Amino acid sequence: MPRRGFVIQARTRWLLVGLALLFSLVLLMYLLECAPQTDGNGSLPGVVGESMGKEYYQALLQEQEEHYQNRATSLKRQIAQLKQELQEMSDKLKSLQEKKTPKVNGMNYQGTKEQTSNDLLEFLHSQIDKAEVSVGAKLPSEYGVIPFESFTSMKVFQLEMGLTRHPEEKPVRKDKRDELVEVIEAGLEVINNPDEEDGQDEDDGVGDRQLYSENDFIEGYYRTERDKGTQYELFYKKMDGMEYRHVTLFRPFGPLMKVKSETVDISRSIINVIVPLAGRTEAFAQFMQNFRDVCIHQDKRVHLTVVYFGQDGLSEVKSILESVARETDFHNYTLVSLNEEFNRGRGLDMGARAWEKGEVLMFFCDVDVYFTAEFLNSCRLNAEPGKKVFYPVVFSLYNPAIVYANQDIPPPVEQQLVHKKDSGFWRDFGFGMTCQYRTDFLTVGGFDLEVKGWGGEDVHLYRKYLHGELMVIRTPVPGLFHLWHEKHCADELTPEQYRMCIQSKAMNEASHSHLGMLVFREEIEAHLRKQAYRTNSEAAR
């Protein structure tokens, strides 16, 4: 029995071993079956079978690319679906808001919106009515005037300069360039597509009208009233025409709005240039050279009135006028002789009253002033009887002996006429050069003839216009220059006049930097001597 039991135990042990081996074999086969399959022909790069490896990776990349393309297509589809759902939700929300908006005076939401638009438009028009656009504002003094800044399609002429700004410059800031371009294009839109109120015939088609372009823009002015908005005066002209198109726009801190559009014909507008004079025959000869070139040869619509004080130099002035008349066949001039002490206001007043042919546009001028034909047209465009007087700001040139000190002699006058900081400045405190109609001058009472000697009479006349209802156009103009000449402040002047004369003399001499160089001349020369001494000492060693 024990032996039989031992045999059974041995069989059981071998059975268990066999089962364990069978289980291990099954497990090994399972692991082999679940292992990742590899291409028997594949090989790693750099070893044998490299061509087959490239095909494998190219296929793998193509598979990945198709996978991401499908993913991107799916995402785009989901985004489009979300956008559609968002739009549907927005429409539902807007519909609910409109239903909740109460009706006012029987109007729904659309009616309220239209009412708001009408109120806004009415407010913008009220801003234009308050601004000094069509009627002049009564101002207490010259300090209350808001001057214009003038511009062309390329440059801006500005009074406020400082360290970074210049009397003439291209609009550097992009917002300023965009503003001026927008304004010029808006003016063209008004001209090329006129309303019925602009006076154009309804039957005139586009083919019958002369269309204007940016090249026809001549000049413009703009100024900003801080509590109302910005006013723009724009002038356009065809190269072969004499008529100007004038457009007034206003931006009441909102969209540009048209105020006025008109056609201005200045072909028959005569200007009476009035020049008071005493002595200074050489300056008068130079003035007549400019007058000959601009007024006689180019403009041809000018009358000259010279009011001469005293007898000394009178014969020379007559000789100059007669010589110009013979050489150019020009006889539209008047010489008024006054045997008394020089008084500028008195001279201009006599020149205005010496005209006996009715209404005329007058330009009060000095013998030291140089002007261009473009300025004469600006004079005609910006003065209107009973409505506007023109007070241009002159560009006053500095002493050429200081400006061109590094040259042997100063260049000719024509080459000095540049708008630069070191060459001159806008004479914003001077009101002597002005264009106004004779009837307006006589209506306000002309000059205060009680003012004696230098200065003051032009300011008094300027204030008379400011106290009235005429518009005063005050702006720098590029075609008007005041040539430098030495000033003498007489002892007979009142303290106020003498102070004004000295201030004017100092401001007309040179720029800030040039005056500084003159003040520190001794320090500069001492520095140069020290530098020369050091250089010579080092060279001698």
Side-chain angles (χ1 to χ4, degrees):
M1 283 296 294
R3 188 177 184 87
R4 184 178 179 181
F6 177 78
V7 172
I8 294 174
Q9 291 178 357
R11 289 180 178 177
T12 302
R13 187 180 298 112
W14 283 107
L15 180 62
L16 292 174
V17 170
L19 290 174
L21 291 174
L22 180 61
F23 179 76
S24 298
L25 180 61
V26 172
L27 180 60
L28 178 61
M29 294 178 64
Y30 173 77
L31 291 175
L32 292 175
E33 184 67 21
C34 293
Q37 298 294 326
T38 58
D39 190 356
N41 298 327
S43 60
L44 295 175
V47 297
V48 181
E50 184 176 359
S51 60
M52 298 300 293
K54 285 184 179 180
E55 294 177 358
Y56 167 75
Y57 285 115
Q58 287 177 355
L60 183 62
L61 288 174
Q62 183 177 359
E63 181 181 355
Q64 293 294 328
E65 183 179 358
E66 293 177 355
H67 170 73
Y68 286 119
Q69 286 180 350
N70 294 334
R71 181 62 176 168
T73 303
S74 176
L75 290 174
K76 289 180 180 179
R77 190 183 304 110
Q78 295 179 31
I79 291 173
Q81 184 177 358
L82 289 173
K83 285 183 176 180
Q84 183 178 0
E85 293 177 358
L86 180 61
Q87 183 63 38
E88 293 176 356
M89 294 297 296
S90 299
D91 294 341
K92 291 180 180 180
L93 180 60
K94 184 177 180 180
S95 177
L96 291 174
Q97 289 178 345
E98 290 178 356
K99 290 180 180 180
K100 292 181 180 180
T101 302
K103 294 183 178 181
V104 181
N105 296 330
M107 295 186 300
N108 57 9
Y109 174 78
Q110 184 66 26
T112 304
K113 185 176 181 181
E114 292 177 356
Q115 181 64 34
T116 303
S117 177
N118 292 335
D119 292 342
L120 177 59
L121 188 60
E122 183 178 353
F123 169 75
L124 296 178
H125 280 292
S126 69
Q127 291 292 94
I128 298 178
D129 296 336
K130 294 176 184 177
E132 190 181 355
V133 178
S134 301
V135 180
K138 295 183 178 181
L139 302 174
S141 70
E142 60 273 20
Y143 301 104
V145 175
I146 302 176
F148 288 86
E149 291 189 350
S150 59
F151 66 97
T152 64
S153 58
M154 297 297 294
K155 296 179 180 179
V156 176
F157 305 92
Q158 53 205 4
L159 293 179
E160 297 182 5
M161 294 187 294
L163 294 176
T164 58
R165 304 183 70 187
H166 300 271
E168 171 192 287
E169 65 179 17
K170 296 181 179 180
V172 180
R173 288 175 56 99
K174 183 178 183 299
D175 56 346
K176 176 57 65 176
R177 292 199 306 270
D178 294 344
E179 174 191 357
L180 297 182
V181 169
E182 177 191 7
V183 168
I184 294 173
E185 291 178 350
L188 290 173
E189 181 68 21
V190 171
I191 296 174
N192 293 330
N193 299 282
D195 299 330
E196 294 182 3
E197 59 186 21
D198 293 335
Q200 300 289 335
D201 295 334
E202 294 182 1
D203 296 336
D204 288 348
V206 177
D208 300 326
R209 287 200 313 270
Q210 195 174 29
L211 297 180
Y212 287 73
S213 67
E214 295 179 359
N215 295 329
D216 300 321
F217 175 71
I218 302 299
E219 63 181 358
Y221 311 104
Y222 70 91
R223 67 175 176 183
T224 300
E225 296 183 60
R226 297 183 178 180
D227 60 338
K228 300 177 182 68
T230 303
Q231 173 186 352
Y232 303 91
E233 302 290 340
L234 311 173
F235 295 94
Y236 303 80
K237 176 182 172 294
K238 286 291 183 182
M239 184 67 68
D240 55 349
M242 288 300 297
E243 289 186 346
Y244 285 77
R245 295 304 305 269
H246 174 211
V247 178
T248 301
L249 302 176
F250 196 82
R251 191 196 301 273
F253 301 115
L256 276 171
M257 303 182 68
K258 187 192 76 172
V259 177
K260 181 176 61 176
S261 175
E262 61 182 353
T263 301
V264 182
D265 185 4
I266 60 173
S267 59
R268 299 181 180 180
S269 178
I270 303 296
I271 298 180
N272 184 16
V273 180
I274 305 176
V275 181
L277 185 63
R280 308 197 60 202
T281 55
E282 293 183 1
F284 182 69
Q286 185 180 36
F287 173 84
M288 287 305 300
Q289 182 62 43
N290 173 230
F291 185 90
R292 179 206 302 254
D293 295 339
V294 174
C295 300
I296 300 177
H297 293 159
Q298 298 181 47
D299 191 87
K300 303 177 182 180
R301 293 164 292 162
V302 175
H303 184 94
L304 175 63
T305 301
V306 180
V307 182
Y308 195 85
F309 290 83
Q311 297 298 318
D312 187 16
L314 178 60
S315 59
E316 295 182 42
V317 170
K318 288 182 178 180
S319 176
I320 293 173
L321 289 172
E322 291 172 356
S323 175
V324 171
R326 287 193 305 270
E327 295 173 1
T328 62
D329 195 25
F330 176 78
H331 302 283
N332 295 329
Y333 69 89
T334 302
L335 177 60
V336 179
S337 177
L338 298 177
N339 191 16
E340 55 188 72
E341 185 181 358
F342 178 80
N343 184 306
R344 185 176 185 274
R346 164 82 168 152
L348 294 173
D349 188 84
M350 288 295 297
R353 298 180 187 277
W355 180 269
E356 299 178 349
K357 300 178 182 179
E359 183 68 289
V360 68
L361 175 59
M362 304 182 301
F363 172 39
F364 294 158
C365 187
D366 285 345
V367 72
D368 303 299
V369 168
Y370 185 101
F371 54 85
T372 64
E374 289 76 17
F375 165 74
L376 295 178
N377 288 331
S378 297
C379 182
R380 295 182 175 99
L381 292 171
N382 291 286
E384 188 175 353
K387 294 184 178 181
K388 294 188 297 184
V389 293
F390 186 41
Y391 271 84
V393 181
V394 183
F395 192 76
S396 188
L397 298 178
Y398 291 131
N399 187 348
I402 299 177
V403 176
Y404 306 99
N406 59 341
Q407 302 181 19
D408 295 335
I409 58 174
V413 173
E414 290 76 14
Q415 297 181 20
Q416 299 179 29
L417 306 178
V418 292
H419 302 94
K420 294 183 179 180
K421 272 190 173 183
D422 289 335
S423 64
F425 68 101
W426 293 114
R427 197 184 184 93
D428 58 344
F429 56 84
F431 308 96
M433 286 4 100
T434 171
C435 298
Q436 52 194 269
Y437 276 86
R438 185 173 183 269
T439 53
D440 294 330
F441 175 77
L442 298 177
T443 299
V444 299
F447 288 103
D448 185 356
L449 301 181
E450 298 298 324
V451 178
K452 303 295 183 182
W454 185 92
E457 78 287 336
D458 50 359
V459 180
H460 285 81
L461 177 63
Y462 185 63
R463 289 172 181 169
K464 287 182 179 180
Y465 284 118
L466 297 181
H467 296 162
E469 295 184 351
L470 270 67
M471 288 187 62
V472 177
I473 307 298
R474 178 75 169 159
T475 181
V477 291
L480 190 62
F481 296 86
H482 185 276
L483 306 180
W484 182 88
H485 64 90
E486 189 174 358
K487 289 183 178 293
H488 298 281
C489 299
D491 294 334
E492 294 79 12
L493 297 176
T494 64
E496 182 181 359
Q497 288 178 326
Y498 192 83
R499 178 180 56 82
M500 293 171 60
C501 183
I502 290 296
Q503 288 179 348
S504 177
K505 184 176 181 178
M507 295 189 66
N508 282 269
E509 195 67 17
S511 64
H512 194 158
S513 60
H514 279 152
L515 288 176
M517 297 294 287
L518 293 175
V519 171
F520 299 107
R521 180 191 302 174
E522 294 182 0
E523 294 185 22
I524 296 172
E525 291 177 352
H527 174 75
L528 293 177
R529 286 194 298 269
K530 291 179 181 179
Q531 290 292 328
Y533 176 77
R534 291 175 182 174
T535 302
N536 294 332
S537 298
E538 293 177 356
R541 290 176 182 177

